Amino acid sequence: ESRQALLDVLALLPSDRTPERLAVVAQTAGVEHLLGRHGDARRRLIAALEDAPTEAGTALALEMAAAGFYAGDATAIYEVTVRNLGGEDVTSARATIAASANLADLAWTCEAFGGATCTASGAGVVSDTLSLPSGSSAIYELTARVAANPELPAEVTATIAVLTGVTDFDPTNDSAHDVDAVGLFEDG
């Protein structure tokens, strides 16, 4: 199983395979422990990569992090990370992040890495067009005020979609949904 996970990661590497790029992709996929800590093992793996095929197209991936519990009238913070793990650049993609009605005063920021571009900030629901060169990422941080009299959980849904140019060969990781408990006391 771990060998297959590593092979799946290797298939996502673009043509400019380097130890640093391999480490980033393996960490993103959660299999960095398979790389080993020694330089020799890593060098042998990179050498083996020279003959490995590169996946055509792109693989956008989206992850979301949140606290898990929010008190009424508190500030909720959600972090959504979008990555291009594929071998081709995405010149136009749409990131959408929506929140449930008991989350108000939505504001967001975006920070781009590795040549990606996104809108720096905004208010309300996120509906942003961004570009994601191969190996790049963008991190959106959404803040919202939780309703003062909480009765329902706080929910946030995020999606990413390629608009033009390439095909996402793994659309199964293009959305994330988070549900957080809301109340007066975290322990009941």
Side-chain angles (χ1 to χ4, degrees):
E1 182 177 308
S2 19
R3 181 177 174 351
Q4 184 57 49
L6 184 57
L7 291 173
D8 291 344
V9 168
L10 298 180
L12 297 176
L13 287 174
S15 58
D16 61 338
R17 298 172 176 131
T18 65
E20 294 78 21
R21 189 64 154 280
L22 174 62
V24 168
V25 172
Q27 182 179 15
T28 299
V31 294
E32 65 273 9
H33 63 282
L34 299 176
L35 294 180
R37 298 277 184 229
H38 304 311
D40 287 344
R42 191 170 288 211
R43 277 191 294 280
R44 284 194 306 273
L45 187 54
I46 295 298
L49 288 175
E50 297 305 321
D51 297 324
T54 299
E55 183 70 48
T58 191
L60 296 183
L62 187 141
E63 303 165 358
M64 185 174 350
F69 174 84
Y70 292 108
D73 208 31
T75 299
I77 300 173
Y78 295 87
E79 186 175 279
V80 177
T81 303
V82 180
R83 291 183 169 85
N84 181 352
L85 302 175
E88 292 187 34
D89 295 344
V90 174
T91 58
S92 183
R94 167 82 55 204
T96 305
I97 307 170
S100 57
N102 59 337
L103 292 172
D105 304 328
L106 281 83
W108 55 272
T109 61
C110 182
E111 189 171 359
F113 301 92
T117 61
C118 58
T119 304
S121 63
V125 172
V126 176
S127 182
D128 191 26
T129 301
L130 64 160
S131 68
L132 294 158
S134 177
S136 69
S137 63
I139 299 175
Y140 290 89
E141 183 177 276
L142 176 73
T143 59
R145 186 181 47 77
V146 179
N149 296 319
E151 294 183 20
L152 299 172
E155 297 187 52
V156 171
T157 300
T159 60
I160 185 73
V162 174
L163 297 177
T164 60
V166 295
T167 300
D168 187 349
F169 65 85
D170 184 10
T172 63
N173 59 5
D174 291 353
S175 65
H177 183 78
D178 184 76
V179 179
D180 296 303
V182 176
L184 300 176
F185 306 102
E186 185 170 1
D187 294 331

